[in-house]
């Protein structure tokens, strides 16, 4: 069964980002795929130090939690990223992860190519569209496939749980997750022949 990995970039284990991804995972499971949610809460993901030692090796030499997450990304056919908005941008740890996973793929066997997914941003009031645009740069340079939804993938809420009251946001995120699953189900293999 094809896997879809959902990564929460929030430091809160049960915050709005996690609750949003749980809604997405339920939709993906209902369509017969295998979702797995992981949280960066409690995981240490440092910034890329541009040492170049990953080139052609597919493994990062920094001693933190990146390689474990990168292996899960490699195995999945789908990748959905959720980030809280911090000062108008995605949380730093999540961008650290994207830059380092991007290096492993880009300078290696391009394992990200043709994976299906995209970003979701959760904010109290402002910065969510800039944040999804920031994360989209990772998807598009890595030849990934990003389906749309009925609105942009942005949610409103401050305290944990408040984003679940944003009915349009929940509907948009769920529809996006379904569209990720539908595209994967239409593609026999990750790579076209
Ligand atoms: C350091 C920090 C910066 C934040 N910056 C913004 C911001 O620029 N715009 C905004 O609307 N909300 C901002 N927020 C609020 C969070 O994005 C919001 O509470 C979000 O729902 C948190 O998601 P979580 O519960 O998954 O952690 C910020 C919160 C923190 C802790």
């Amino acid at each position: 069964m094809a896997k879809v990995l959902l990564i929460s970039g929030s430091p809160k284990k049960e915050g709005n980002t996690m609750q949003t991804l749980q809604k997405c995972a339920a939709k993906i499971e209902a369509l017969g795929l295998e979702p797995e949610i992981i949280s960066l809460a409690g995981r240490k993901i440092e910034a890329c130090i541009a040492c170049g030692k990953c080139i052609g090796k597919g493994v990062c030499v920094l001693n933190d939690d990146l390689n474990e997450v990168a292996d899960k990304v490699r195995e999945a056919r789908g990748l959905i990223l959720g980030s809280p908005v911090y000062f108008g941008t995605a949380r730093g740890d999540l961008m650290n992860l994207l830059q380092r996973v991007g290096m492993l793929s880009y300078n290696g066997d391009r394992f990200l190519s043709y994976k299906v997914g995209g970003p979701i941003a959760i904010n109290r009031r402002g910065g969510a569209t800039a944040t999804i645009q920031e994360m989209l740069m990772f998807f598009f340079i890595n030849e990934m496939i990003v389906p749309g939804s009925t609105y942009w993938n942005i949610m409103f809420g401050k305290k944990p749980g408040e984003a679940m009251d944003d009915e349009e946001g929940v509907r948009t995120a769920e529809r996006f997750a379904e569209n990720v699953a539908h595209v994967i189900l239409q593609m026999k293999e990750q790579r076209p022949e």
Side-chain angles (χ1 to χ4, degrees):
M1 200 193 295
K3 289 185 183 171
V4 177
L5 184 67
L6 302 98
I7 302 178
S8 165
S10 171
K12 295 181 188 166
K13 276 207 168 76
E14 299 296 333
N16 286 318
T17 308
M18 178 54 83
Q19 292 182 39
T20 301
L21 295 186
Q22 284 165 347
K23 294 269 184 196
C24 293
K27 293 291 177 187
I28 289 164
E29 195 164 27
L31 286 168
L33 301 185
E34 193 183 321
E36 180 183 357
I37 306 178
I38 63 167
S39 171
L40 296 193
R43 284 186 163 90
K44 191 174 150 207
I45 310 280
E46 288 174 8
C48 178
I49 57 166
C51 65
K53 290 182 181 160
C54 62
I55 295 173
K57 302 235 169 51
V59 178
C60 181
V61 295
L62 293 181
N63 186 21
D64 61 10
D65 296 317
L66 187 276
N67 285 314
E68 176 218 346
V69 179
D71 286 346
K72 287 181 185 291
V73 174
R74 183 184 278 277
E75 281 172 25
R77 289 280 306 279
L79 178 64
I80 294 178
L81 307 172
S83 182
V85 173
Y86 279 8
F87 288 89
T89 55
R91 183 160 174 260
D93 288 35
L94 185 59
M95 294 313 291
N96 285 352
L97 180 129
L98 298 188
Q99 289 156 8
R100 287 170 64 195
V101 170
M103 282 296 271
L104 296 183
S105 175
Y106 206 84
N107 290 319
D109 59 357
R110 303 247 176 184
F111 62 87
L112 291 171
S113 294
Y114 310 112
K115 291 189 193 295
V116 183
I120 303 173
I122 297 90
N123 69 173
R124 178 187 70 82
R125 188 171 175 83
T129 51
T131 299
I132 54 171
Q133 286 162 6
E134 185 186 20
M135 293 191 278
L136 276 172
M137 300 302 268
F138 164 84
F139 286 89
F140 290 141
I141 199 174
N142 286 302
E143 213 174 7
M144 299 170 84
I145 299 164
V146 182
S149 184
T150 47
Y151 199 80
W152 298 298
N153 295 337
I154 62 177
M155 314 268 302
F156 288 81
K158 184 182 178 194
K159 293 190 191 127
E162 276 182 7
M164 297 303 98
D165 298 332
D166 173 10
E167 281 175 34
E168 186 177 0
V170 170
R171 205 164 56 239
T172 303
E174 288 183 333
R175 180 69 166 221
F176 169 68
E178 287 173 338
N179 288 341
V180 168
H182 285 310
V183 174
I184 293 171
L185 288 165
Q186 291 295 320
M187 294 172 69
K188 273 192 243 143
E189 305 288 337
Q190 182 173 323
R191 280 171 198 273
E193 285 151 22

